[in-house]
Amino acid sequence: MLHRTLSQAVLAGMLAAPLFASAANPVVDVYKSAYCGCCTAWVKHLQDNGFTVNAHNVDNTSDYRQRFGIPKALGSCHTAKVQGYAIEGHVPAAEIKRLLAEKPKATGLAVPAMPMGSPGMEGPRKHAYDVFLVQSNGKYSTYQHYKGEMDIDLRDKAVRVENPPALDGLKTAIRGAGYRAVSISGSRG
C-alpha cells in the first residue's frame, strides 16, 4: 500500500514538473528569418538566460512586427512575443525579465536596427543603444540605455573614449571645447 502511494506521488511529481518548469521559464515565440545568424544568436542568449524559446522561421518578420503593434521605425531583424508583450530586435534578456516582473501597461520592448554589442550582435565593437518601452498608441520612451565604447559624458568635464575612429581630431575637438581629456585610448585605424 505504501509502495503504491509513493509510486503515485512520484508519478504525479514527474507529470507536474513540466508545468513548474514553464512557469519558471517564460516561453518566448520568436519570428525570424531562417538565414539570419544574429537572430539565432539572440535565441541562444534567451535560452542561456532561462527562457524557453519557440523559434519560427518566417518569410517576412515585418508582418509580425505590425501585427504585434511595434512601430515600423523601431524595426529590427526579428520579432517575438512573451506573455502578451511584443519584443522587437536585440533586447537583452535582463530587460525582458524586468518587463515581465514590472508588468507595465505597454505593447512591449524594442531595440531598433542591430546595434553592435547588443545580445546576438557581439563582436569587437560595442555601440550605445536604447531599449524602448512601446505604448499601445505607438509612442515610446527609453526603458534602459546601454553605453557603448564611444559614450562621452561631459557632466563633470571629463571625457573617456575608447577606439575612436579619428583619435587626433577627437582630442582637438574635446580640448577646443574647453574639456579635459581624462582617458583617450584606442588604435588609429
Side-chain angles (χ1 to χ4, degrees):
M1 180 72 164
L2 180 61
H3 177 54
R4 181 177 175 177
T5 304
L6 186 57
S7 295
Q8 289 175 338
V10 169
L11 179 61
M14 288 173 30
L15 293 174
L19 296 175
F20 292 122
S22 66
N25 299 331
V27 176
V28 182
D29 283 292
V30 178
Y31 301 89
K32 65 179 198 64
S33 165
Y35 310 104
C36 184
C38 68
C39 294
T40 302
W42 185 71
V43 165
K44 183 175 179 342
H45 165 74
L46 293 181
Q47 292 167 331
D48 290 348
N49 283 277
F51 288 93
T52 300
V53 179
N54 295 325
H56 308 277
N57 292 326
V58 297
D59 292 329
N60 188 0
T61 59
S62 63
D63 292 343
Y64 293 88
R65 178 174 39 258
Q66 182 179 8
R67 185 179 307 154
F68 297 158
I70 298 293
K72 186 177 181 179
L74 299 181
S76 186
C77 57
H78 55 264
T79 303
K81 195 83 166 186
V82 58
Q83 295 183 7
Y85 289 106
I87 307 295
E88 179 67 23
H90 294 269
V91 177
E95 303 313 324
I96 299 171
K97 288 178 180 181
R98 179 177 153 209
L99 177 80
L100 297 178
E102 293 177 353
K103 298 183 184 330
K105 288 186 179 181
T107 298
L109 298 175
V111 171
M114 298 161 56
M116 291 300 300
S118 62
M121 292 293 298
E122 293 86 358
R125 291 191 180 259
K126 185 176 180 183
H127 296 166
Y129 66 95
D130 290 317
V131 177
F132 294 107
L133 180 67
V134 181
Q135 303 299 326
S136 60
N137 63 4
K139 293 184 179 180
Y140 50 91
S141 58
T142 300
Y143 189 67
Q144 183 66 46
H145 175 74
Y146 284 83
K147 290 187 174 190
E149 294 171 345
M150 297 287 293
D151 278 7
I152 299 175
D153 182 357
L154 300 177
R155 288 177 290 196
D156 62 357
K157 294 192 176 188
V159 178
R160 179 168 188 245
V161 179
E162 296 176 9
N163 297 319
L167 189 58
D168 290 331
L170 185 59
K171 284 181 185 177
T172 303
I174 291 169
R175 289 189 180 120
Y179 294 98
R180 176 178 54 89
V182 172
S183 172
I184 298 181
S185 62
S187 60
R188 297 173 193 261

